[in-house]
Amino acid sequence: MGPDVPLLNDYKQEFFLKRFPQTVLGGPRLKLGYCAPPYIYVNQIILFLTPWVWGGVGTLLYQLGVMKDYCTAALSGGLMFVTALALQMTNLHAKQKTVTVERMQIQNTLTDEDEFEFSSCVGSETVKFIIPGKKYIINTVFHSLLAGVLCGLGTWYLLPNRITLLYSNIGGTVVIFVFGWVTICIGEYSLIINTATETATFQALDTYEITALMRPFYIFVFIAVDLAHRLLVMFLISAGTAIASYFIPSTLGVILFMTGFGFILSLNLSEIGFAFNHTMISHLASSKPKNMHRGLRMQFGWREFIFYLTVLTFALTEASLLHRFAGSSSFSQASPQAIASYILILLLIIMWILREIQRVYLFGVFRNPFYPKDVRTVTVFMEKQRRLMKVGVVRRILLTLVSPFAMIAFLSLDRSLQNLHSVSVCIGFTRIFRMVWQNTENALLDIVIVSIAQMLVFNPDLWWNRSLDTGIRLLLVGLLRDRLLQFVSKLHFALAILLTSWTEKKQRRKSTATLITLNVVFFPILLTLIAISALLSSPLLPLFTLPVFLVGFPRPVRSWPGPVGATACVCPDTVYYQQLVPSLAVALQSALATGSLGLSLPGSHYLCRFQDRLMWILVLEKGFTYCGVNIKGLELQETSCHAAEAHRVDEIFEMAFEHQERTKILSPNPHFGHILTPCTVVPVRLYSDARNVLSGIIDSHENLKHLKDDFIKVLVWMLVQYCYKKSKMWESPGSANKNKQGSFPEKQHSGAVGRSRAPREDDSFSVDTVEDWTDDSDIFDFEPSGRTKDRKEPGQLGLTPKVHLSIPGSVETQSQDFTEEMSPEDKLYRAVVLGLPAVDKGKQPEVLSRVEFSCSYSELLSIPEEWRTAPVPPSKVSEMRQRFPEEWYHFVLSQLDFFHLKEKPSNLLADLMEDKALKDLYIQGVLSCCFGLFGLDNAVPAPSHVFRAYTGGIPWSVGLDWLTGKPELFQLALKAFRYTFKLMVDKASLGPVENFEELVNYLEEYDSDWYIGLVSDLEWQQAVLQEKPYLFSLGHDPSMGIYTGRVLTLQELLVQVGKLNAEAVRGQWANLSWELLYATNDDEERYSIQAHPVLLRNLTVQAADPPLGYPVYSSELLQLPLL
């Protein structure tokens, strides 16, 4: 689809034009889209202005000197409370007057499209349309009370005398008075009349009616700032100082308190609590701990406990000793605190260098000359990265142990902690003492900046030194650093949208030139918007992902509501992500610990790529020696947009990791400016996916000619193995003789009962049953429904079977017992069996005589009797005896050990090989399977028949009908055929099989290390989760007429990891939320979901949480230990 696709289709444009004015005014629906009486609009206007009327009454009484300001506020608020409560009661009364028999109305976001019929100005339909009412009674009272408080405070806040005293300007007073009351009217209408859909919609459903409180909350914030800021600050200062002075009277106690709790609160307390609870439960249960694994949890044991306790002890000791004996001196070039500053500056430089040389690009711009070049295999990469791994270990030690203790030394020596502590000291130092452990790298940077500023500015009269203590300085520097980094990221995002809207031809729209010109002309305003967005820490929202920027609403780091990993669009591809995520999490531990992923903070996004898999990683929380992440898997079935962006991702990673031999030292990043910056590669144990065209193999006459012979050999091996495994439940042949029916008594017994009856006697049409058939009956039913329930066997009643008549024109065969639930197709095949000869009704089938074995142990390897009842002509039995691979059969028997038998003769295997009866059983069993899969024809099978046999989709035949009646045998035959086909492929690729031992090795490897089947099989997904080393599947492309083989190989491979611009992701997700939840623009081909190779717009939308995004996998919170 071209770039000029409409941002909103015609229907959505009309919907948006009706919704947007309603949002601006707080709820009044002044544009309905259909003809409505004038009183509908008049009533809404009156209700909108009602708060202004009551406020105006109070304001007039105050201006006339009748009442004081607080009495005026109470009067206006009381009138508004009574009015709001009366309106809600009116709605309840209107609902009770409505006829009770009506369709239940479910409130949703599209009620703007409903059409109403109005009868009168104050009719029940009119009241319910204008005042929808509240869901809960408690909200009816609470919102009404809140409306009164808002109106009273608004009246007091907007008194003209107060505004005039503040601004000393009549014109300004009028403007503020008018627009102030309009704002209050908007908030009141949204609270008590009709809540508008907000552009800041966070989730689709508002269960507890919180949206109605948003606008009044904003108004309260502004009023409260003017009302109580002085009182609030004075209260906090007094209370904070009194509490701190009372409970912690000494400065040493404050230091120990801040150091200890700063360390404890930076730990992963949820995991520590989980481990403690688990330990207590296991001790109380006096048994081994049960598996309480949930996701990837941190391993917290005694070693970790001793480590944390040791670190805490040393930290408290260091802080107390330095504060007590060396903390009284003022800051100077040779003071202890200055020496600590020099050490911190040196540590910062070393850690930055060690972090950057772990990545493929230095600062994301220049190629790292120390990074391994042209890494494509795990062994080569690990060989070349050994030195960098050592560097990473050194950096981790400096980050985990050296830097925190150095920073504690700097803080403990500060003179601000020598005096009686104030609230500012408590706030600033409490924050930095925790940040030292929880966010060590940023804390180190902040302290270095403050210490450098302190070295350069020694003037005690300067505001920086006179009014601010070190804790507050660190707080301001940290805030400035965070907002500055956000500003740079948002500016990068905005410039990327601006430039690519013209440079990318597919993104160039008719309005692009105009939008770019406006952004250039009003660039200062754009910078102001970006600065405000960074200051509020809210996303920069590009409207429809065009260069039209708005300040989004603040959102949490995750950007989405609900628990982590609770929703995902699960599909068959999900299992591939479920398999690789544990190994990927382990690889991420090492990468995060060494710093090869750069500075990772809560809110950082990473993208991993391997073949067709894309993993989206979001850092959710981080503390001392741990990091919490969420891993999502994107769809594997690539659409055109997905493929275009995935191709660009592959191109970026290939230029970074696979084509380094042609690049120069410190060469620039060719994709600088892209939101994805390559970081490193990590070894992950996962499945590589290889797809090959089988032309020349499956259509080779020579290969197909040997297929049947190989199938017989594989089937013999599989039947022997099957019976041998079954025999392990027997201890001796004597126990087998207790059951005269052989090794499978239950199945043989049921088969014997079925054969004792006359063929089809229970399934034919009886004359006596005509009256039981009705007009609603199906002619293909086995019996009328009435008789089926009450049916009893003739033998049970002691009566002879009645005479039955067949349906005219049908041809019947002997059948097995069928269930009552059958599809119409099965009924058709059962009643009208095409292509079968007629069966003589008077001919009874021969009951198979008991097989007499020459070896008593042959009973253990006997196949079930019902597996030898296929309707095969005797000539085919003789032909199979000639084709039966007797040498292979003897070799397979010779591989059996019978270790499970307590007593066995020494010549057991020889006796089994000489038992002709046992061999005849296997000949009959093999012939039955061949008859089911290939029929009686000896022709070479065609490739299409091979494919159908592999997939289990062979056209119906008599042999297949018999074989599918034995589900266990059919599965064995299908498995044997799939093994045979894989053997044919291997022989064509690797050469012929030299001897029987090699063939057995092939089959044993298939059985233990392979899953050979179809991608659509449930067993395929189970094999992936069980991490079978290899999986094979056969496919067919009808459009090209080719057969393909797919092989999954489990091995440790390199996964490429890149860091995404977090603000670009947040901005696109903010637009996605606004566009789908507010503008309801859910068009699958909308502009904002089209491919954008620089912004990765389609992939970013996919990675959002459902229902707005559609990742096929989303993990729970994974706790990665970094110790």
Side-chain angles (χ1 to χ4, degrees), residues 13 50 65 72 102 154 270 445 688 723 835 969 1003 1058 1082 1092 1112 1123:
Q13 287 179 10
T50 298
T72 298
E102 65 174 1
S270 62
L445 177 60
S688 63
C723 295
L969 179 61
L1003 297 179
D1082 56 351
H1092 196 301
V1112 299
L1123 183 59

Side-chain angles (χ1 to χ4, degrees), residues 668-688:
N669 179 3
H671 294 280
F672 179 74
H674 198 279
I675 72 165
L676 176 65
T677 302
C679 293
T680 186
V681 292
V682 293
V684 179
R685 184 175 173 83
L686 44 63
Y687 282 100
S688 63

Side-chain angles (χ1 to χ4, degrees), residues 810-814 829 832-839 956-959 961:
S810 68
V811 182
E812 303 184 14
T813 59
Q814 181 179 353
Y829 287 135
V832 184
V833 183
L834 302 178
L836 296 183
V839 178
W956 187 91
S957 65
V958 178
D961 184 61

Side-chain angles (χ1 to χ4, degrees), residues 622-662:
K622 195 173 182 182
F624 184 63
T625 69
Y626 83 95
C627 181
V629 301
N630 167 240
I631 301 178
K632 296 177 182 177
L634 306 188
E635 61 181 358
L636 303 185
Q637 303 295 329
E638 296 184 348
T639 60
S640 58
C641 296
H642 180 104
E645 295 185 356
H647 177 73
R648 178 61 65 89
V649 171
D650 291 335
E651 180 183 338
I652 293 173
F653 282 135
E654 287 174 6
M655 290 294 295
F657 300 114
E658 299 180 10
H659 301 298
Q660 297 186 9
E661 68 280 358
R662 295 176 296 183

Side-chain angles (χ1 to χ4, degrees), residues 1025-1095:
L1025 295 178
Q1026 294 168 2
E1027 295 195 337
K1028 277 276 187 180
Y1030 307 97
L1031 292 90
F1032 176 83
S1033 175
L1034 177 64
H1036 177 57
D1037 188 350
S1039 60
M1040 301 182 65
I1042 60 174
Y1043 296 94
T1044 57
R1046 182 181 182 186
V1047 178
L1048 297 185
T1049 306
L1050 184 65
Q1051 53 189 324
E1052 195 172 43
L1053 297 167
L1054 295 177
V1055 173
Q1056 300 154 335
V1057 185
K1059 189 173 185 179
L1060 294 161
N1061 185 331
E1063 293 303 325
V1065 176
R1066 293 182 67 200
Q1068 294 182 74
W1069 281 356
N1071 172 73
L1072 174 67
S1073 178
W1074 177 87
E1075 194 172 351
L1076 265 66
L1077 296 181
Y1078 179 75
T1080 65
N1081 188 26
D1082 56 351
D1083 187 357
E1084 294 181 356
E1085 298 297 331
R1086 62 186 183 274
Y1087 173 78
S1088 60
I1089 204 176
Q1090 300 299 310
H1092 196 301
V1094 176
L1095 298 180

Side-chain angles (χ1 to χ4, degrees), residues 906-975:
S906 58
N907 59 346
L908 173 60
L909 295 179
D911 293 343
L912 291 175
M913 296 179 191
E914 294 175 359
D915 195 335
K916 295 184 179 180
L918 181 63
K919 185 181 74 172
D920 287 342
L921 291 184
Y922 280 93
I923 291 174
Q924 294 176 9
V926 170
L927 179 60
S928 300
C929 295
C930 290
F931 174 56
L933 294 181
F934 298 104
L936 299 176
D937 192 1
N938 291 328
V940 177
S944 59
H945 184 85
V946 173
F947 175 74
R948 291 178 178 177
Y950 184 95
T951 58
I954 308 174
W956 187 91
S957 65
V958 178
L960 181 64
D961 184 61
W962 177 88
L963 185 60
T964 53
K966 317 293 183 297
E968 197 168 7
L969 179 61
F970 175 73
Q971 291 300 323
L972 282 175
L974 182 61
K975 186 177 181 180

Side-chain angles (χ1 to χ4, degrees), residues 347-564:
L347 281 173
L348 178 64
I349 295 173
I350 293 175
M351 289 180 55
W352 270 31
I353 294 174
L354 296 182
R355 185 185 69 194
E356 290 302 320
I357 63 175
Q358 299 285 325
R359 300 195 293 169
V360 66
Y361 289 115
L362 298 174
F363 305 102
V365 180
F366 301 105
R367 183 172 299 279
N368 181 5
F370 302 100
Y371 195 84
K373 294 184 178 180
D374 198 22
V375 286
R376 302 190 183 187
T377 62
V378 176
T379 54
V380 175
F381 174 73
M382 297 306 291
E383 282 279 339
K384 294 183 177 181
Q385 209 195 18
R386 283 182 180 176
R387 290 177 298 176
L388 290 182
M389 291 296 293
K390 296 177 181 178
V391 170
V393 172
V394 173
R395 178 187 175 276
R396 190 61 194 165
I397 294 174
L398 294 177
L399 181 66
T400 306
L401 297 176
V402 179
S403 296
F405 284 103
M407 287 187 283
I408 288 177
F410 175 87
L411 297 173
S412 301
L413 294 170
D414 193 82
R415 289 197 62 186
S416 301
L417 295 175
Q418 295 293 330
N419 304 321
L420 184 62
H421 39 275
S422 62
V423 171
S424 62
V425 171
C426 292
I427 292 175
F429 278 94
T430 300
R431 169 191 169 275
I432 194 60
F433 269 107
R434 179 175 179 179
M435 193 175 175
V436 160
W437 303 100
Q438 187 159 4
N439 196 349
T440 307
E441 293 182 79
N442 283 339
L444 181 60
L445 177 60
D446 295 346
I447 293 178
V448 167
I449 293 175
V450 170
S451 61
I452 291 176
Q454 199 165 359
M455 291 177 185
L456 298 178
V457 182
F458 286 101
N459 185 3
D461 296 329
L462 193 65
W463 169 80
W464 176 266
N465 290 331
R466 186 184 69 253
S467 303
L468 301 177
D469 59 76
T470 304
I472 297 299
R473 294 174 199 164
L474 290 169
L475 177 61
L476 295 177
V477 169
L479 182 63
L480 181 63
R481 169 193 44 79
D482 180 72
R483 297 306 188 261
L484 183 60
L485 290 177
Q486 286 195 36
F487 178 83
V488 173
S489 297
K490 294 176 192 294
L491 182 62
H492 176 201
F493 175 45
L495 293 178
I497 293 180
L498 272 173
L499 296 177
T500 56
S501 64
W502 183 262
T503 57
E504 297 286 337
K505 292 184 178 179
K506 292 186 177 181
Q507 308 301 324
R508 196 180 300 170
R509 300 172 57 86
K510 294 178 180 179
S511 59
T512 298
T514 305
L515 292 176
I516 292 177
T517 303
L518 290 174
N519 278 277
V520 172
V521 172
F522 297 101
F523 191 71
I525 297 178
L526 175 60
L527 290 178
T528 303
L529 288 175
I530 296 175
I532 294 173
S533 177
L535 185 63
L536 297 176
S537 191
S538 59
L540 182 67
L541 192 154
L543 202 61
F544 299 105
T545 65
L546 292 172
V548 179
F549 301 101
L550 302 173
V551 178
F553 289 85
R555 285 173 172 264
V557 170
R558 280 193 58 231
S559 294
W560 308 111
V564 178

Side-chain angles (χ1 to χ4, degrees), residues 38 70 250 572 605 715 731 764 770 908 949 1024 1058 1106 1114:
Y70 54 87
S250 69
H605 294 261
L715 187 59
E731 295 183 358
S764 298
V770 174
L908 173 60
V1024 171
S1114 182

